[in-house]
Amino acid sequence: MGRRATYQKHSPISHVKSVSTPVLVIHGEADVRVPMSQGVEFYRALKQLNVPTRLLVLPRQPHGPVEPKMSLATMNASLEWMDKYLGAPK
């Protein structure tokens, strides 16, 4: 299998039409591993397919949040998302 085929096999955008689960996309604005454009592309594709989705962009952050304030924002967004789609714990 060539590099292109391997990339396509593992690329989320290649499988976006199979997605039906609500998706919270969290992306660091300064991510050098995954370009911001790829996160936005995935988010827009989900929106176009009417999959419930939200895009949270973390300013100044690399692939994962490093600033405490951004870590807190990520945790809060994740908890809100889970509560919305799974229900708050009883």
Side-chain angles (χ1 to χ4, degrees):
M1 184 180 295
R3 287 183 185 174
R4 183 182 194 108
T6 300
Y7 176 79
Q8 287 179 329
K9 179 181 176 184
H10 297 286
S11 173
I13 200 70
S14 296
H15 306 283
V16 74
K17 288 183 179 179
S18 308
V19 177
S20 59
T21 304
V23 177
L24 172 61
V25 178
I26 302 173
H27 210 291
E29 196 175 49
D31 191 338
V32 294
R33 288 178 55 194
V34 179
M36 185 71 201
S37 59
Q38 288 183 9
V40 172
E41 177 183 37
F42 190 63
Y43 165 77
R44 286 186 178 163
L46 291 168
K47 291 294 274 186
Q48 202 167 32
L49 294 168
N50 295 314
V51 175
T53 186
R54 176 181 171 202
L55 174 62
L56 175 63
V57 177
L58 303 173
R60 303 174 306 282
Q61 302 311 291
H63 195 68
V66 292
E67 296 174 21
K69 185 167 118 179
M70 295 298 140
S71 292
L72 185 60
T74 299
M75 287 185 267
N76 284 333
S78 297
L79 285 172
E80 289 169 11
W81 192 259
M82 295 297 175
D83 283 350
K84 181 174 182 176
Y85 289 100
L86 297 177
K90 296 185 182 357

